[in-house]
């Protein structure tokens, strides 16, 4: 039997506990990451939803920015986490860190304020069963680089995408009981680990 | 099919605020300072609780002009307070597209019996509670987030601690009851039996729970988080202190690193004076805000 995957969840602000819960249901050894040394020995990292400005400031203040840039495992960003991983943000704030680990351009709060937040069914690439997806003051992906694979769209816009070891979602798979997106991430983590070894 | 305003969508925003600090602001400038300090949301109101307490009079929803200015100034969620039972204020706040409405005892209540029927709204609501029964009644009315009340505008944390202990202790107690005992307990709590059963099974409230009322220092924020809060509201504690920018940032860091005394010791230094505070033990019953709402 394989060793369980070890995946950390960035826990400076936002919906980190739910990601930890989903990972544990999938048999992953999950931990919370608040400081750079807590990335040591991890196979993967999830950057959760939350407020992208708040997460960005705390990431910078505690030297997590460099640590995440130097992290070699797979990374999954949801909502605010997707913004943090993107190369550019159309309406980014001055001083807001963008790690540029996936070649996409995003628009923050693209669907508007909370009264426009919604849940909907998405078609997932290669799956017949729809995926219920919850969008909370969500960003969308405006620009997709050549190496980026789009895995789901809403209203013709990409909302789930992957480039190599980086996976991003504009919505919140941790808010529903459907674990397929987290299972997909576990696959990405395994692939990235086998590439490294 | 796409749906807006479902409970999952409403409570979903509160889920994203967890581990964060929501700061009371009265102007666009204060809102910018809060965002810069790392606040996960701001609460727009016409006067901070300490001023409401000092000046008296009727405290109402903030001026929509101010709310618009604050919305223009920041990209983080903007919440606003409506008076208890004042569903017309809430309708206006929804039309302004605030991200959350706080049906708040800090404002002067508009109804002595009925809270707002929050199921009628697309915008989510947060409500105050002193104990488990109050929290469950608000959730039954459609609240998508709870904050323990504390005693706003005092800088005294003792009421917030009492309310958190009542809510979290009440939840732990429910978990120890037998199935058939939950019916009588629902009656005692004055809450729907389905909700009582859910809490007994899951060991938590079905919505995110923050702490409010009396948080003045990074240590206060850490105390609340260690007692089980999902995040904190800071009202007068920031903008009534001598150096709001520094204190705001320190409280944000203390809320993230609440279990790390070394970080807490570092961020607690050089903050200047805390807000002018009042011991709630010396307050007359009529001066208490926490008893508003039922």
């Amino acid at each position: 039997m394989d060793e369980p995957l070890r995946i950390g969840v960035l826990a400076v602000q936002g919906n980190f506990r739910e990601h930890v819960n989903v990972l544990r249901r999938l048999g992953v050894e999950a931990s919370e990451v608040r400081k750079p040394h807590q990335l040591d020995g991890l196979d993967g990292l999830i950057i959760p939803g939350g407020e992208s400005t708040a997460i960005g400031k705390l990431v910078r203040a505690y030297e997590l920015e460099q640590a995440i840039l130097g992290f070699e495992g797979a990374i999954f960003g949801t909502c605010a986490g997707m913004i943090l991983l993107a190369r550019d943000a159309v309406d980014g704030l001055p001083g807001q860190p963008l790690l540029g680990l996936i070649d996409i351009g995003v628009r923050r709060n693209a669907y508007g304020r909370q009264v426009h937040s919604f849940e909907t069914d998405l078609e997932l690439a290669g799956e017949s069963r729809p995926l219920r997806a919850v969008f909370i003051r969500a960003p969308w992906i405006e620009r997709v680089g050549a190496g980026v694979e789009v895995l789901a769209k809403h209203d013709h816009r990409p909302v789930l995408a992957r480039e190599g070891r980086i996976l991003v979602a504009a919505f919140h798979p941790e808010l529903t009981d459907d674990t397929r997106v987290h299972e997909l991430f576990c696959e990405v983590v395994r692939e990235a680990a086998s590439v490294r070894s | 099919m796409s749906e807006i305003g479902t409970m999952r969508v409403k409570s979903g925003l509160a889920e994203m605020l967890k581990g964060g600090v929501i700061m009371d602001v009265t102007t666009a400038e204060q809102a910018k300072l809060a965002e810069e300090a790392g606040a996960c949301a701001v609460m727009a109101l016409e006067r901070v609780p300490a001023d409401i307490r000092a000046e008296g009079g009727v405290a109402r929803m903030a001026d929509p002009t101010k709310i618009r200015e604050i919305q223009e100034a920041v990209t983080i969620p903007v919440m606003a307070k409506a008076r208890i039972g004042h569903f017309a204020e809430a309708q206006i706040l929804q039309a302004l597209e605030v991200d959350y409405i706080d049906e708040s005892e800090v404002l002067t209540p508009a109804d002595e019996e009925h809270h707002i029927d929050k199921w009628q709204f697309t915008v989510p609501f947060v409500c105050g509670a002193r104990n488990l029964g109050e929290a469950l009644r608000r959730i039954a009315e459609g609240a998508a987030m709870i904050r323990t009340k504390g005693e706003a505008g005092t800088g005294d944390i003792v009421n917030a601690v009492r309310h958190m202990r009542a809510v979290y202790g009440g939840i732990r107690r429910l978990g120890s009851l037998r199935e058939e005992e939950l019916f009588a307990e629902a009656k005692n709590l004055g809450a729907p039996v389905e909700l009582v059963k859910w809490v007994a099974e899951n060991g938590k409230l079905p919505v995110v729970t923050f702490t409010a009322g009396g948080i003045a220092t990074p240590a206060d924020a850490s105390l609340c988080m260690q007692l089980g809060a999902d995040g904190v509201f800071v009202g007068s504690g920031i903008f009534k202190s001598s150096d709001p920018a520094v204190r705001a940032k320190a409280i944000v860091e203390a809320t993230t690193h609440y279990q790390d005394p070394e970080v807490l010791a570092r961020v607690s230094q050089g903050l200047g004076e805390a807000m002018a505070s009042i011991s709630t033990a010396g307050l007359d019953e009529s001066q208490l805000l926490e008893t508003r709402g039922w």
Side-chain angles (χ1 to χ4, degrees):
Chain A
M1 172 110 185
D2 291 348
E3 293 258 309
L5 290 176
R6 283 175 300 177
I7 299 178
V9 182
L10 188 72
V12 297
Q13 193 272 319
N15 207 20
F16 48 86
R17 210 166 48 210
E18 279 55 39
H19 282 288
V20 169
N21 291 343
V22 178
L23 291 172
R24 287 187 180 148
R25 275 171 57 197
L26 295 176
V28 171
E29 203 176 287
S31 58
E32 295 182 356
V33 175
R34 291 185 174 81
K35 298 232 173 123
H37 69 86
Q38 291 166 331
L39 288 169
D40 296 346
L42 295 180
D43 304 307
L45 175 70
I46 294 181
I47 306 180
E51 274 313 307
S52 59
T53 54
I55 293 176
K57 284 173 199 306
L58 288 159
V59 158
R60 190 157 275 178
Y62 286 83
E63 288 157 4
L64 284 156
E65 193 177 4
Q66 285 309 313
I68 295 170
L69 285 172
F71 181 69
E72 291 179 338
I75 309 180
F76 176 27
T78 58
C79 196
M82 174 173 98
I83 296 170
L84 198 66
L85 290 171
R87 182 149 301 166
D88 43 81
V90 178
D91 53 348
L93 291 183
Q96 183 176 9
L98 295 171
L99 301 175
L101 289 171
I102 181 167
D103 186 14
I104 57 169
V106 298
R107 180 181 290 277
R108 299 165 61 230
N109 303 336
Y111 297 94
R113 301 184 194 280
Q114 171 63 13
V115 288
H116 305 290
S117 291
F118 60 97
E119 52 179 283
T120 192
D121 289 332
L122 297 180
E123 269 181 51
L124 213 52
E127 298 261 340
S128 55
R129 194 157 47 95
L131 178 86
R132 195 68 177 166
V134 185
F135 291 76
I136 307 289
R137 286 170 40 98
W140 69 37
I141 300 174
E142 292 226 332
R143 184 189 63 76
V144 178
V148 177
E149 185 187 359
V150 173
L151 302 170
K153 289 185 176 184
H154 172 65
D155 249 357
H156 312 295
R157 293 193 182 272
V159 292
L160 180 67
R162 175 183 176 183
E163 183 177 31
R165 65 187 176 97
I166 309 291
L167 180 70
V168 292
F171 56 93
H172 293 283
E174 79 285 4
L175 288 182
T176 61
D177 291 327
D178 193 327
T179 56
R180 280 178 290 169
V181 177
H182 284 86
E183 287 167 42
L184 169 67
F185 179 58
C186 288
E187 282 305 310
V188 176
V189 172
R190 279 192 201 94
E191 279 176 35
S194 68
V195 167
R196 283 204 309 284
S197 65
Chain B
M1 193 183 80
S2 286
E3 292 177 276
I4 57 168
T6 62
M7 197 52 176
R8 188 151 63 183
V9 166
K10 288 176 169 178
S11 61
L13 178 54
E15 300 283 350
M16 299 313 139
L17 301 175
K18 283 185 309 197
V21 183
I22 301 170
M23 301 182 191
D24 277 2
V25 298
T26 57
T27 64
E29 268 168 29
Q30 289 184 352
K32 276 188 194 158
L33 185 149
E35 182 173 63
E36 187 53 39
C40 66
V42 291
M43 175 74 70
L45 72 176
E46 63 170 2
R47 292 177 284 171
V48 293
D51 288 335
I52 293 172
R53 190 174 285 287
E55 293 163 14
V58 173
R60 307 182 177 91
M61 162 185 91
D63 179 345
T65 314
K66 285 279 179 213
I67 294 173
R68 283 270 193 236
E69 286 170 11
I70 290 167
Q71 286 174 317
E72 292 299 316
V74 295
T75 64
I76 55 178
V78 175
M79 303 182 163
K81 286 184 192 286
R83 285 179 266 180
I84 289 174
H86 206 316
F87 52 85
E89 281 189 348
Q91 288 161 353
I92 291 168
L93 293 174
Q94 174 162 283
L96 290 168
E97 297 197 351
V98 304
D99 293 296
Y100 241 93
I101 295 175
D102 183 357
E103 186 182 19
S104 177
E105 71 283 356
V106 169
L107 307 186
T108 313
D111 194 312
E112 293 170 322
E113 205 166 346
H114 308 287
H115 282 252
I116 296 170
D117 176 5
K118 293 164 274 286
W119 295 111
Q120 302 305 316
F121 290 79
T122 305
V123 64
F125 280 75
V126 53
C127 287
R130 283 171 299 172
N131 52 51
L132 184 57
E134 229 175 272
L136 294 177
R137 285 194 289 282
R138 297 294 86 79
I139 294 167
E141 294 159 1
M145 179 178 184
I146 291 293
R147 58 172 171 73
T148 53
K149 286 177 175 173
E151 187 58 27
T154 62
D156 189 346
I157 197 70
V158 69
N159 296 48
V161 169
R162 186 190 310 138
H163 300 158
M164 278 186 287
R165 291 219 181 262
V167 170
Y168 301 128
I171 292 170
R172 285 191 294 273
R173 186 173 172 279
L174 276 191
S176 70
L177 297 182
R178 290 161 57 106
E179 175 101 25
E180 73 271 18
E181 293 170 340
L182 293 173
F183 295 93
E185 190 57 20
K187 185 176 155 230
N188 293 339
L189 289 170
V193 70
E194 293 74 23
L195 270 177
V196 171
K197 282 183 173 175
W198 193 96
V199 172
E201 264 170 46
N202 292 277
K204 59 176 187 178
L205 290 180
V207 300
V208 166
T209 307
F210 271 46
T211 296
I215 294 163
T217 67
D220 289 344
S222 168
L223 177 70
C224 296
M225 295 298 287
Q226 291 193 53
L227 284 172
D230 289 321
V232 299
F233 283 88
V234 186
S236 321
I238 288 168
F239 288 101
K240 286 295 177 184
S241 72
S242 65
D243 193 344
V246 172
R247 186 167 294 262
K249 190 163 172 288
I251 292 179
V252 167
E253 293 187 26
T255 304
T256 292
H257 296 282
Y258 67 95
Q259 294 165 306
D260 189 332
E262 282 174 26
V263 170
L264 296 170
R266 181 171 57 73
V267 303
S268 297
Q269 295 172 38
L271 300 184
E273 291 294 312
M275 65 182 284
S277 305
I278 307 164
S279 166
T280 61
L283 286 177
D284 192 71
E285 178 75 15
S286 66
Q287 296 171 297
L288 291 175
L289 303 176
E290 66 160 63
T291 47
R292 296 168 168 182
W294 29 88

